Amino acid sequence: MPATKKQIIQILKMGGLVVIPSDTVYGLAVDATQSKAVEKLLKFKERWPGKAIAVFCDSFKMASDYAIINNNVQTIYTNWLPGPFTLIVEGRHRLAKGIEAEDGSLGIRIPNYPLIIEVVKEFGRPITATSANLSGHRPHYSTTSFLKTLSEKKRRMIDLIVDVGKLPRNKPSTVVDIREPKIKILRRGDFITPNGQTFISHSAQETQKIAGTLLSKIPQPIILGLSGDLGTGKTVFSQGIGRAMGIKEKITSPTFTIYNDYGKFLHIDLYRINNQEELMELNIFNAIKNKKVVCIEWIENLGKTNLVKLTQIAPLKFLTFKYIDEHTREIKL
Amino acid sequence: MKILAIDTSCDDTCAAVVENRKIITNIVSSQINLYKDWGGVVPNIAKWAHKKRIDLVINKALNLHLAPSSKKRESINSIDVIAVTQGPGLAVALEVGIDKAKALAKQYKKKLIAVNHIEGHLLSTLFNHQIAFPALGLTVSGGHSQIILIHSIGDYRIIGETLDDAAGEALDKAARILGLGYPGGPIIERLAQKGNKNFLKLPKVLPDNKILNFSFSGLKTSFYYQIKNLSPQQISSHLSDYAASYQEAVFEQLIRKFRLAVEKYQPKVLLAAGGVMSNLELRNKLRQLAKTLNLPINMPYNQKLNTDNAAMIGLTAYYKALKGEFVEDIDKLDRKPRLKLDY
């Protein structure tokens, strides 16, 4: 049985080292305000102290107690956090030595992982968010694979392991430096948004993950209007939405049947629509009613009057898809 | 046994009369001139306007447009069973056929049979052929691409299907990419006859021999972005070559996966049906495959049976009638837009 929240907090309080699962990889958590605990972590990781260690916060509010978070940053990232991002910001030098980098910057993570959010909230201060590995080694998706890489001595340094089995193979977080007006991406994770509105995907899998994350940020019911050229990933994105909603059926292109109904999810493709008369015969407004999420490919074929009609049924969000190169697509909100 | 069959699963309004395994009439709305046959009373109507067309199409299937003295006129009283497509297909379209079939069955006190559209395509190969089991079927059209293992009529297992676009859709979209309009499968075929199929390099999709599924979306994307950067002159000077290369890539995948399935499941006979089967190049490729594997292959015997039609629904209903598979409560029959073939 995995450790309880109470146990985790107790160990953290005592300056202990906890192996903890997250929305990306397994992490190493210690109290980020306790010097002794952080020293132990650095020793364990064999990490050079000048390099920053990211911390988990439960909210922007907690983050702004320890770092300078300007309003601009908050508005951009409010939609995407909690999520797999590490924001590099200016620290307030209130955390233990070794957490902030030499230049005073601090990495903040608000993870999309309820266990961590709850622990940090109750603990009342940030905990470290570094990945469970030794410096320079790859991160781990299961505790057994991590433990295998450790010497007996190292193993004894760990005070608690929160084992939830194998984590899904999500990449480590995307690291963005937001101290300057021009945002810099320092590490590419599963998905990247230079400004909170644009996502760059490097594969169909990534596009599906972007869809899933987006979905978790938007209140439902919602209609997603997808526009973009052939082969830019509109159907792949819709598949990601369906997957994220727990639909087990194969989600295939509805070009021919115009729409596929998966219960709470409706997948429409207006590619074959030539005129408004044809659209009338389809009675799609009726089909949209009572759906949680609707994806409409080739929304540009809907026409202005119908667009207005659509917004009366549920809020509408537009997404545009663009081809960058063979494997790369840009998705813009 | 005379069956009046109705199919309104997608774009076409279809009705047919079949007697046992013989086709009496087979009417498809896009292939008849409603305007001419009905003296100009029917306006040019939109795609999916099944409601406006259904009575005309059924009446034509019953030959009611002929002179009252004509012996070909079919009285609805002489019909034994009414059959209708229940799915898969476009919800609002299916609804029209089902409502009509229910109304007719009730009004004339006829038995009703609900048919799966894909089973219809599969069995459209049996009008003039016998089947042996297990059989392996390939159905390819604008809406689906499946490999189906058939243990007996009514007992099916889908062992491969498309993960994204259907094969027919892939061909149609390529035609649009080349600026040839939609649907464009037949145009691609015509151009491809004169083209060099090795002209354009396209990826070999799903090379893993364990996978029996299809995927055409990557092919389409690769094609699109290779064509996109060309000038209209460059495209038009090699139009046939582009069409041939693309068509070859689509068919190569269909044949490769179908062959793998044949080797794995060792069927006694092959079936191939669906709109894309109108393509002579694909038919030849399939015949060659059957010959190499020393297996018989059944394909629909005329062009009209490849694309959506109601005669195939009538034949499927005939097999179901022999097994007594009638709709028990007519009022409760409802469309199933995502109806599956295997259970």
Side-chain angles (χ1 to χ4, degrees), chain A residues 59-61 69-83 85 87 110 178 193 195-197 213-214 216-218:
Chain A
S59 60
F60 272 111
K61 195 177 163 293
I69 309 269
N70 63 45
N71 276 337
N72 186 29
V73 168
Q74 195 165 338
T75 27
I76 290 176
Y77 278 91
T78 269
N79 281 330
W80 312 111
L81 293 173
F85 292 98
L87 309 183
I110 303 178
I178 52 177
T193 167
N195 55 13
Q197 301 293 314
T213 311
L214 238 155
S216 66
K217 307 295 168 204
I218 314 173

Side-chain angles (χ1 to χ4, degrees), chain A residues 229 253 255 257 261 272, chain B residues 11 52 90 169 173 224 338:
Chain A
D229 228 335
S253 164
T255 298
T257 51
D261 191 336
R272 296 207 296 137
Chain B
D11 296 5
K52 294 176 190 147
L90 177 57
E169 175 187 345
K173 283 190 173 163
Y224 179 54
R338 302 191 51 71

Side-chain angles (χ1 to χ4, degrees), chain A residues 234-289:
Chain A
K234 298 182 296 299
T235 299
V236 170
F237 182 89
S238 305
Q239 287 172 336
I241 294 283
R243 286 284 157 273
M245 292 179 74
I247 284 146
K248 298 267 180 317
E249 267 179 272
K250 271 203 185 88
I251 294 168
T252 53
S253 164
T255 298
F256 200 72
T257 51
I258 316 298
Y259 57 81
N260 285 336
D261 191 336
Y262 302 92
K264 53 192 172 177
F265 173 52
L266 185 71
H267 186 190
I268 305 181
D269 186 346
L270 302 178
Y271 182 77
R272 296 207 296 137
I273 306 291
N274 295 316
N275 55 53
Q276 296 303 306
E277 211 186 326
E278 286 178 357
L279 209 54
M280 292 301 293
E281 299 291 345
L282 289 172
N283 205 3
I284 58 164
F285 296 105
N286 213 26
I288 287 170
K289 272 179 206 152

